Amino acid sequence: MKYVPKIWASIGFILLVWSAIFLYIQRKSAAFPFHHLRQLLPDYPLHISNFSISYALYTTVGFMWLQMGSSFKYITYLGIAIVITNFIYELWIPFINTPDITDAVYGVIGSILGHLFLFYLKKYGMKEKI
């Protein structure tokens, strides 16, 4: 590894990925702790899987690539590939899926938030390995 994350960056990464996964796990729970989210987005449980998968996949791979010293442009290309894959899968591949553009939009939001986190992490959260 060429870079190591600062402690706050590692903790932030873990908390954010866990939060995205927690949103997915809690989508059918009656004891949902984010009641205001269900009021704001009533269809949230139907689409959150795309958000969670896109965010967790993008940030996990991006986090590893940042540690290896990969150029940020490759991390950006990965995000673009995840966004394109969301739309292809949701619009043209009906295998184990009901085509739904809203699912793709949730995946795009997960990718955008992941990209913002990775950009911030690259700029402020990594230090060269000694």
Side-chain angles (χ1 to χ4, degrees):
M1 296 293 169
K2 187 174 181 179
Y3 295 96
V4 293
K6 295 177 182 175
I7 190 72
W8 66 262
S10 294
I11 293 169
F13 166 73
I14 291 167
L15 289 176
L16 289 171
V17 169
W18 282 357
S19 296
I21 293 168
F22 182 75
L23 285 172
Y24 173 73
I25 291 169
Q26 291 294 316
R27 74 191 186 286
K28 294 183 180 180
S29 173
F32 186 70
F34 305 112
H35 183 67
H36 63 280
L37 185 58
R38 281 225 177 126
Q39 290 176 335
L40 182 63
L41 302 166
D43 290 339
Y44 140 84
L46 302 173
H47 311 292
I48 199 65
S49 61
N50 286 57
F51 171 87
S52 297
I53 292 167
S54 295
Y55 182 85
L57 177 68
Y58 189 29
T59 56
T60 301
V61 173
F63 188 72
M64 291 186 303
W65 285 2
L66 284 174
Q67 290 179 70
M68 293 188 304
S70 296
S71 171
F72 198 77
K73 72 179 179 180
Y74 295 116
I75 294 170
T76 301
Y77 294 155
L78 173 64
I80 292 168
I82 291 171
V83 166
I84 291 170
T85 303
N86 264 292
F87 280 102
I88 290 171
Y89 185 71
E90 288 302 332
L91 297 176
W92 294 296
I93 302 175
F95 178 70
I96 311 177
N97 183 43
T98 302
D100 184 1
I101 191 72
T102 307
D103 282 347
V105 170
Y106 272 69
V108 169
I109 293 168
S111 298
I112 289 170
L113 291 176
H115 186 78
L116 292 173
F117 174 74
L118 292 169
F119 179 78
Y120 187 77
L121 187 66
K122 168 81 173 164
K123 192 165 181 131
Y124 303 109
M126 293 291 187
K127 57 185 176 185
E128 270 196 70
K129 188 175 181 181
I130 298 173

